[in-house]
Every structure is written in C-alpha cells, then in structure tokens.
Amino acid sequence: MISTDQIFNQNSYADKLIEKTLRSNPKWGARDRKIVAETIYEIVRWKRLYFSILGDSETTIKNIWLITGIHFILKNDSLPAWEEFSSLNREEIFARNNQIKKERKIRESIPDWLDELGEKELGDDWDSEISALNQQAKVVLRVNELKTNRDELIKFFLQEDIVVIPHKEVSSALVLKERRNIFKSELFKSGFFEIQDVSSQLVAPALQLSPGMRVIDACAGAGGKTLHIATILQNKGRVIALDVDKWKLIELQKRAKRNGIQNIEVRLIESSKTIKRLKESADRLLLDVPCSGLGVLRRNPDAKWKMSVERIDGLKLTQEEILSSYQSMLKPGGIMVYSTCSILPSENQQQIGKFLTNFCNYSLIEEKVISPANSGYDGFYIAVLKKS
C-alpha cells in the first residue's frame, strides 16, 4: 500500500505514488486498481475531516486502517470484520461527522489559510466553489483532429467497449462515462486523443488561430495546450514551445510524435536572452503562467496541503514578471492570451488590470472566468489581449 506519510509529510505527490504503486503490482485487476487509486485520492482529499472525526489534530496518520475505515463508513459501505476496524463505531462516526461539518474548513477539509483566502477573494461564492472542488473530476478527452474526428472516435471507443459522451459546447471534447485506464487503449497509443479538461480546451481557440501563423507557447510545460495549438494550425506554420524545465519539453516532444505533429519547436529558457532573441516574432502568444492550481483541486487534492499563502504570493510575482517581460515576443497587432487554472481574482483579473496599467499598447478583448461550481469542470481564467 502507498505510504500516506510520503504524501502528507515528505511532500510527495499522490498521483506519482499511485502510479508507481499500480506499476509495481501488475497482477491487480481493473477493479482492485480503481479501488486503491480512488481510496487514496479520497483519503488525501478528506484528510482534515477524517482526522477531526478521529479527534486527532496531528498532521500524521497514525493508523491508516482507522482512516480507511472512516472513509468507507461515510460512503455507507460495509466493512469486513477485521481486527483493524474493530474500534470503529458506525453510529459514533456519523454523529461526529454531523457535529463538526457545520464548520466549513472542516466540512470541506481545507487548511485554515485557504478558507480565509477563499472567503476574502470570492466572498459568498467561496462556499459553492470549494464544495465543487471537492467533487471527483470528470475524465475529459480532446480529439486529435489531425488523425480522426469526434464521431469516428466515438465509434472506435465503442469497439473497445468504452462509452464517451460528446460535450454540448466544446466540439473537441468527449467525456468518459465511466472511469477507465484509457492509457492502455490502442487509440491513445496511436495518438487519437489526449486527456484535457473542457476548461483547458478553451485556451488554444482563444488565440484566434489560423494555419500558417507563428505561435509562441511561452510556459509550455509538458505541452497539452501546445499540442492543441499545433492541431488547430493543421500542422502548418510554427509553434515555438518554451519552458524552464528540460524534462517537460522532452515529454512534449514524445507527445507530439504520438500525435503526428511536426510543426513544434522546443526551446529551453536558459536566460533572458532566450526571450530577447524572439522579440516581436510571434503572431500569437500564449502565457499559461505558473499559478496556485486552486481551480484543479478536484483532480490534485494533495495540492491544498502543499500550497501556502507565501507560495501563492511568490507565484503572483512570477506571473507579473512573465507578463511584463514575455509580452515583448508578440508582434504589434498580435493577440496574447493569459491563462491560469486558478479561481483567485488576485492571480487573474487583478494581474491583467495591473498589466494594462503598465502597458498602454495592450487592450483587453475578452476575458472568461470559468467557475467549477457553474461549469462542473476545472476552474480557469482566460484573458485575450491585443497589442497595438
């Protein structure tokens, strides 16, 4: 079993540890793998609530079995008659849960600082947003339209006994009806689709792309949005993917090859010279900046235990620096998109407000605030700006 001490106290990420555990137990069936992965994620998500029910204010799980037992009891699942669960009383656990769930930070299982920050920035909307961020995320796919189309891919999935539902508004998006390990699918290995939430799929189209353009994705990471940009360009023109981490760019190259994409060039940002060499060279510029990630807590629940106010303040400075220095890569008349997977106005609207005050040659064309509570998908912010 995964060491929860590694997640909570050694700063390890749950998704990486789960992936490692599943890899090291190849004989487990699909049902067992699903139970292990989902249980660990839910224990990480509801850590504070479960500790409070136990009456344990410590930040270390002393008995993983008690925590696991509470998790299954609150789900109304029956527990096996094992000695490890013998001290748990179902009625007492429900009574304790009803007693403490009136306090939002306990009910929603979040740190004090996050509850205070969310209320400060979002006011009355914080209740619904943090509740939505505690729901299990849907698995959303983006059709690789260089290799197939949505209707064809739906048929291909049915041949593998996988049911996907077309999104009503985003034509490239398919929602998995039931969670499955689709990375083993031959369709994935052949590059017919990528995993990408609906909100994230709105970023590349916001750039108002046309085949043949020169586009810079300046914070490309492992390249989910870079691949989408290249796909919309129909493999024509050029996409320059920049990042400060070499390993992410290597992963992007692997994904591009699988997707059948040839118009991406990766460049490691080694110094400010990398940016200066690209001055006024891009028709379109994407700044998908580092952020708190509070809009994607439903799929990364352990992030709330690793984040802090100080870390967010540092990220805001990074966002300002990226905006002020990277904008120089855009040609006059070009369009820049600033995006985050945060729901905090201080990382979003306020950053763009400050930028527009300092750079009078930019104007705001459009901005989208994607609410997890209202959309059912990840929290995102997308600002579209034009350079004169």
Side-chain angles (χ1 to χ4, degrees):
M1 183 56 99
I2 293 171
S3 168
T4 46
D5 179 67
Q6 284 181 275
I7 297 171
F8 293 138
N9 301 311
Q10 298 179 31
N11 218 33
S12 298
Y13 281 90
D15 57 344
K16 302 299 181 187
L17 286 172
I18 289 170
E19 183 183 343
K20 182 180 178 182
T21 300
L22 296 181
R23 257 202 325 265
S24 61
N25 292 276
K27 293 183 179 180
W28 286 354
R31 182 176 177 275
D32 294 332
R33 300 169 79 83
K34 180 180 178 182
I35 289 172
V36 168
E38 290 186 1
T39 300
I40 292 298
Y41 269 122
E42 290 304 289
I43 288 173
V44 171
R45 189 186 312 281
W46 299 108
K47 168 186 143 180
R48 185 171 189 178
L49 174 64
Y50 294 170
F51 280 24
S52 298
I53 289 172
L54 270 181
D56 184 356
S57 61
E58 298 294 322
T59 58
T60 304
I61 290 186
K62 295 177 179 176
N63 192 326
I64 185 60
W65 292 107
L66 294 182
I67 294 295
T68 304
I70 288 173
H71 169 69
F72 285 115
I73 285 172
L74 291 179
K75 284 180 62 184
N76 276 316
D77 289 344
S78 58
L79 290 179
W82 296 350
E83 183 181 347
E84 288 86 352
F85 299 135
S86 60
S87 63
L88 293 174
N89 182 290
R90 184 176 291 267
E91 288 71 28
E92 287 179 3
I93 286 170
F94 277 111
R96 177 68 176 153
N97 182 49
N98 289 331
Q99 177 187 7
I100 63 177
K101 70 179 183 181
K102 296 172 185 176
E103 193 172 3
R104 182 176 56 207
K105 60 189 178 184
I106 304 297
R107 179 180 69 247
E108 303 297 348
S109 189
I110 52 177
D112 288 2
W113 68 264
L114 179 54
D115 193 42
E116 292 165 7
L117 181 63
E119 185 172 42
K120 176 184 174 183
E121 295 219 14
L122 296 171
D124 293 340
D125 291 336
W126 177 235
D127 268 331
S128 58
E129 295 296 1
I130 189 57
S131 178
L133 287 169
N134 270 324
Q135 306 305 310
Q136 190 179 63
K138 300 180 179 76
V139 178
V140 183
L141 318 178
R142 178 179 59 76
V143 180
N144 178 6
E145 294 172 335
L146 292 176
K147 291 195 170 187
T148 186
N149 60 54
R150 189 166 73 171
D151 292 341
E152 273 189 346
L153 187 55
I154 291 171
K155 293 176 183 176
F156 292 153
F157 273 125
L158 286 175
Q159 292 171 11
E160 294 189 5
D161 199 28
I162 297 172
V163 178
V164 289
I165 302 166
H167 191 271
K168 292 179 181 178
E169 297 172 9
V170 180
S171 62
S172 58
L174 295 170
V175 183
L176 207 61
K177 185 176 180 180
E178 184 178 309
R179 299 182 79 86
R180 296 273 295 270
N181 181 13
I182 53 176
F183 293 112
K184 287 188 174 181
S185 165
E186 288 301 320
L187 295 170
F188 176 75
K189 294 174 184 177
S190 299
F192 279 45
F193 67 89
E194 287 287 332
I195 309 294
Q196 190 173 7
D197 190 76
V198 168
S199 302
S200 179
Q201 290 190 43
L202 296 175
V203 175
L207 286 161
Q208 302 176 26
L209 301 163
S210 297
M213 283 183 171
R214 181 181 170 99
V215 183
I216 295 177
D217 183 353
C219 309
K225 298 176 187 69
T226 317
L227 297 174
H228 196 187
I229 290 168
T231 301
I232 295 173
L233 292 179
Q234 299 171 23
N235 248 338
K236 300 171 184 176
R238 192 177 185 191
V239 184
I240 299 176
L242 306 176
D243 205 86
V244 294
D245 292 318
K246 186 176 181 179
W247 70 269
K248 291 180 181 178
L249 295 176
I250 292 171
E251 179 62 22
L252 168 54
Q253 289 176 309
K254 293 177 184 176
R255 295 174 72 186
K257 183 177 181 181
R258 186 177 67 240
N259 278 255
I261 291 171
Q262 292 101 33
N263 63 337
I264 294 176
E265 174 191 342
V266 301
R267 295 190 194 181
L268 182 66
I269 300 175
E270 297 178 294
S271 70
S272 59
K273 290 181 181 178
T274 306
I275 306 302
K276 289 176 181 176
R277 290 190 193 106
L278 291 167
K279 183 177 180 179
E280 296 188 352
S281 65
D283 299 303
R284 299 289 186 265
L285 174 63
L286 174 58
L287 302 181
D288 184 45
V289 297
C291 70
S292 64
L294 294 180
V296 294
L297 283 182
R298 63 176 71 195
R299 64 182 74 255
N300 296 313
D302 54 340
K304 62 187 174 184
W305 308 120
K306 295 176 170 63
M307 190 57 65
S308 66
V309 173
E310 294 75 21
R311 171 71 175 140
I312 293 175
D313 287 342
L315 287 166
K316 290 176 191 175
L317 291 175
T318 299
Q319 292 159 7
E320 289 182 39
E321 290 167 3
I322 288 173
L323 270 167
S324 62
S325 59
Y326 288 20
Q327 61 80 30
S328 64
M329 294 186 287
L330 186 65
K331 294 176 182 177
I335 288 174
M336 177 174 78
V337 166
Y338 171 91
S339 65
T340 76
C341 55
S342 173
I343 57 173
L344 298 179
S346 60
E347 295 186 83
N348 299 332
Q349 299 98 316
Q350 292 173 24
Q351 289 286 32
I352 292 302
K354 283 185 283 187
F355 174 77
L356 291 172
T357 299
N358 295 328
F359 292 86
C360 300
N361 58 332
Y362 277 86
S363 57
L364 180 64
I365 299 174
E366 180 188 10
E367 64 180 347
K368 293 179 182 177
V369 179
I370 304 171
S371 152
N374 294 334
S375 72
Y377 296 98
D378 290 347
F380 255 75
Y381 174 76
I382 304 169
V384 185
L385 303 103
K386 187 164 186 177
K387 185 177 186 177
S388 60

